[in-house]
Amino acid sequence: MKEKTMETFTMDDGHHTFENWTNSSVGNKYNNLSAFLNEEDYQKSSIQSTVNVQEYDLVSVVCLTILLSVIIITTIAGNVFVLTAIVRERNLQTLSNYLVFSLAIADLMVACLVMPIGAQYEVMNQEWIFGSVMCEIWTSGDVLCCTASILHLVAIAIDRYCAVTNINYVQYRSAKKVGLMIVAVWCVSFIVSFAPILGWKDEEFLNRVQEDKKCLVSQDVAYQIFATCATFYVPLIIILILYWRIYQVVRKRIRHRPGHAIRPAALLPLVCAENVPNMAALNGSAKMTSGTKLRQKNRDNLESKRERKAAKTLAIITGVFVVCWLPFFVMALLMAICPTLIPDPRLFSLFLWLGYANSTLNPLIYTVFSPDFKKAFSKLFCGKSYPQRTRSSRQGCVSTVDTVF
């Protein structure tokens, strides 16, 4: 009886064990299969995501390359046209145009020496691969060319202001004085740009280049304050003051009424007499019959039109400069003062290239308001020829670089 019971227990236990083993084997196989399928799906989705990211990166790189290439080519072409026009056209070979010529050289250097390496740096996702020495050379060249471009705008503003406020300035302006202005601009630019090479760098410069693969100009606080003030903030204040004074003087002369004679040479030195209709009416030499409302109305309309044009021209000159460079220099100063401030790389690149774009726009801004430059460009592009102005007529107006209001 006991043996039977024991046998039954053994059989039942064996059956139970077999059943558990069977269920366990099936469960493990099922779990292994599910894990395999899940892993395969994960690999497929991972591969698909990688392909999508690569395609997105490729499209971004191509679009960025095209955009930066267009900016570089446009900058080179615009400044080459300005240089060619001044060299070929005798009407443009005036003292004030020496400043425009030097400005075009500075902007051309930005396009040829600074922008291409900057574009490569952006396409490589802001990863510097050329080493610390090349980084110092490139950043110094960047500061040199951009500073020279900005300071030339100050020199042009000073030249225009003197032409407006000093009646005899145009007659006594000499090549030596203009040359000294150009030399001063380049000397200040060299001092600001080569200071880091001479040792005025922050302690993290090498680590930033070699380990972080980031190429930035010296982030030393004292240097950044000195550089940003000399390169932008002081020039900005000077430009704003000078152009505001120019507008005030031009507005006053435009509104001058007959009865108070003004020497023709003193009237609107920025405008050549042959380009302004009814100049006689403006300088008081014309006789207006009292009570003639129509002629008074025409005069008022002409004054109002010329005031709006003067305001628009000066607003474009100063506005483009401020919009292009102000964001970058504000960020540059904040980064040096607050080292913990790490701006978005894309935002930093946008502000930097917005500043570079000022070199693209300068050829347009400083020539589009000049009839002589327009004629020179028409001759270059279309082969149109215009009669040369005589020496006496060219002496009657300030150089063609001066804005025609």
Side-chain angles (χ1 to χ4, degrees), residues 152-196:
H152 274 97
L153 305 185
V154 179
I156 292 174
I158 293 174
D159 184 68
R160 289 176 170 176
Y161 175 76
C162 293
V164 169
T165 58
N166 188 349
I167 296 175
N168 299 319
Y169 174 76
V170 177
Q171 284 74 20
Y172 292 100
R173 176 173 48 192
S174 64
K176 182 179 179 180
K177 292 181 180 179
V178 176
L180 288 176
M181 293 176 66
I182 295 174
V183 170
V185 165
W186 285 103
C187 286
V188 173
S189 302
F190 271 106
I191 292 173
V192 175
S193 62
F194 278 85

Side-chain angles (χ1 to χ4, degrees), residues 14 31 35-36 46 62 66 70 94 96 109-110 149-150 162 184 202 205 221 241 257 265 279 306 310 322 373 398:
N31 291 334
F36 176 76
S46 178
V62 171
I66 294 174
V70 169
T94 58
S96 286
M109 290 174 63
V110 173
S149 177
I150 293 173
C162 293
D202 60 297
F205 179 81
V221 177
I241 293 175
R257 289 295 189 267
M279 178 62 75
R306 290 182 61 74
V322 172
F373 266 106
V398 176

Side-chain angles (χ1 to χ4, degrees), residues 97-339:
N97 276 344
Y98 291 170
L99 294 172
V100 175
F101 191 88
S102 187
L103 170 64
I105 291 176
D107 290 333
L108 188 61
M109 290 174 63
V110 173
C112 294
L113 303 179
V114 179
M115 287 187 182
I117 298 179
Q120 186 274 338
Y121 185 50
E122 297 298 335
V123 171
M124 294 291 292
N125 198 23
Q126 295 189 354
E127 182 176 349
W128 187 258
I129 61 176
F130 298 115
S132 59
V133 175
M134 189 62 185
C135 178
E136 285 191 82
I137 295 174
W138 178 64
T139 52
S140 296
D142 185 354
V143 175
L144 169 65
C145 300
C146 293
T147 302
S149 177
I150 293 173
L151 294 184
H152 274 97
L153 305 185
V154 179
I156 292 174
I158 293 174
D159 184 68
R160 289 176 170 176
Y161 175 76
C162 293
V164 169
T165 58
N166 188 349
I167 296 175
N168 299 319
Y169 174 76
V170 177
Q171 284 74 20
Y172 292 100
R173 176 173 48 192
S174 64
K176 182 179 179 180
K177 292 181 180 179
V178 176
L180 288 176
M181 293 176 66
I182 295 174
V183 170
V185 165
W186 285 103
C187 286
V188 173
S189 302
F190 271 106
I191 292 173
V192 175
S193 62
F194 278 85
I197 293 181
L198 299 178
W200 203 353
K201 294 192 293 289
D202 60 297
E203 297 179 354
E204 299 297 324
F205 179 81
L206 290 178
N207 292 334
R208 186 167 56 249
V209 176
Q210 296 174 356
E211 297 180 6
D212 299 337
K213 303 297 181 182
K214 300 296 181 183
C215 181
L216 297 174
V217 71
S218 172
Q219 294 299 296
D220 182 83
V221 177
Y223 172 76
Q224 280 294 328
I225 294 175
F226 163 72
T228 54
C229 289
T231 302
F232 177 75
Y233 291 109
V234 173
L236 173 63
I237 294 173
I238 295 174
I239 288 175
L240 291 177
I241 293 175
L242 291 180
Y243 279 130
W244 173 250
R245 289 289 301 130
I246 288 173
Y247 175 70
Q248 292 294 322
V249 173
V250 171
R251 183 183 181 186
K252 182 179 179 180
R253 290 178 180 174
I254 289 175
R255 291 187 173 186
H256 181 76
R257 289 295 189 267
H260 298 82
I262 299 180
R263 292 175 56 187
L267 181 64
L268 298 180
L270 298 184
V271 184
C272 185
E274 64 189 39
N275 297 321
V276 182
N278 299 328
M279 178 62 75
L282 289 177
N283 63 18
S285 61
K287 295 181 180 179
M288 184 175 61
T289 305
S290 59
T292 309
K293 296 182 179 180
L294 180 60
R295 301 184 70 179
Q296 179 66 42
K297 183 177 180 181
N298 291 337
R299 179 187 174 86
D300 292 339
N301 290 337
L302 178 60
E303 292 174 355
S304 177
K305 182 179 179 180
R306 290 182 61 74
E307 278 189 32
R308 289 195 302 269
K309 190 172 183 180
K312 179 181 177 181
T313 301
L314 294 174
I316 291 174
I317 292 173
T318 56
V320 169
F321 172 68
V322 172
V323 169
C324 286
W325 280 118
L326 182 61
F328 172 77
F329 278 101
V330 169
M331 179 172 288
L333 190 58
L334 290 178
M335 287 173 58
I337 296 176
C338 305

Side-chain angles (χ1 to χ4, degrees), residues 64 121-122 125-127 214 216 328 331 335 341-353:
L64 182 61
Y121 185 50
E122 297 298 335
N125 198 23
Q126 295 189 354
E127 182 176 349
K214 300 296 181 183
L216 297 174
F328 172 77
M331 179 172 288
M335 287 173 58
L341 176 63
I342 303 177
D344 189 317
R346 291 171 296 184
L347 185 64
F348 182 84
S349 299
L350 175 62
F351 290 165
L352 178 61
W353 280 87

Side-chain angles (χ1 to χ4, degrees), residues 1-12:
M1 190 69 179
K2 292 180 180 180
E3 293 179 357
K4 186 175 179 181
T5 304
M6 181 66 68
E7 183 178 358
T8 303
F9 175 79
T10 303
M11 290 177 64
D12 292 342

